[in-house]
Amino acid sequence: MTLTTEISMGILFAFAPFIAFALVDRALGSVDGLLAGAAISIALVLRDALSGRVPKILEIGSLVLFAGIALYVITIGANFSVMAVRLLVDGGLLLVVLISLAAGVPFTLQYAREQVPPEFWNAPEFKRTNVVITSVWAAAFAVITGADAVLVFMSEVPRQVGVLTIVAALVFATKFTGWYPKQKHTPASGS
């Protein structure tokens, strides 16, 4: 397995709360999906904390997102549609990624540092590569949030169009994450 594949897998593993949310949301409903996402987020944050690693931005953001929306829905008794909850979740994920970029700590940087020797961490190209990759993920989440909004507010659009758009955005971001560092010859590429 190459370093870029390991980095891509680490990022995909960080999306486990979102996968759990989607599966449970579909099977049992939005509140249960939100609670499943929060539970997986707690597990990921605890895994890092107990192993002596700093919890990652994406994992902390996911925990705040799922727990916050679940708490709101449960305490207020809000009754959002499944697609409206997905819009909130995906929009929240986009916000977490954009905040990581604005703070100068692109969320992919933490995953890349787990695979790349420390002597490369301060290299300008290493950070630039992670800014580009995180920006591509932000664009993918913007597309996903847009597709969710279309499905919520434009009921005449076939659901399959939204689903295909979401899948295409995720596949593109995942493939780009593995491809781009190799093109830049960064330490993350194993070059």
Side-chain angles (χ1 to χ4, degrees), residues 17-189:
F18 297 89
I19 294 166
F21 163 73
L23 294 173
V24 175
D25 175 60
R26 186 167 181 88
L28 302 174
S30 295
V31 173
D32 291 328
L34 290 166
L35 293 173
I40 300 293
S41 296
I42 289 168
L44 291 174
V45 169
L46 284 175
R47 176 201 64 185
D48 281 347
L50 294 174
S51 67
R53 295 185 302 220
V54 174
K56 295 174 182 64
I57 293 167
L58 185 60
E59 294 165 1
I60 293 168
S62 298
L63 174 57
V64 170
L65 176 66
F66 283 112
I69 296 172
L71 184 63
Y72 177 78
V73 168
I74 292 168
T75 57
I76 302 300
N79 190 15
F80 295 118
S81 71
V82 169
M83 286 313 304
V85 172
R86 288 184 181 193
L87 175 59
L88 288 172
V89 168
D90 292 337
L93 178 57
L94 172 59
L95 185 62
V96 168
V97 172
L98 291 174
I99 288 170
S100 81
L101 282 168
V105 187
F107 87 92
T108 59
L109 197 60
Q110 292 174 300
Y111 299 96
R113 284 182 175 163
E114 288 180 344
Q115 306 301 325
V116 174
E119 59 265 21
F120 296 110
W121 293 1
N122 294 321
E125 188 63 29
F126 181 71
K127 185 164 185 188
R128 230 181 347 267
T129 296
N130 280 281
V131 167
V132 170
I133 292 171
T134 299
S135 297
V136 167
W137 279 101
F141 295 134
V143 167
I144 291 167
T145 302
D148 289 342
V150 166
L151 292 173
V152 169
F153 299 111
M154 300 174 71
S155 59
E156 68 275 6
V157 174
R159 184 172 164 81
Q160 295 86 346
V161 171
V163 171
L164 290 174
T165 301
I166 291 166
V167 170
L170 289 173
V171 168
F172 177 79
T174 301
K175 297 274 187 193
F176 186 86
T177 300
W179 172 82
Y180 186 74
K182 294 175 188 174
Q183 306 314 304
K184 302 305 290 177
H185 303 291
T186 63
S189 68

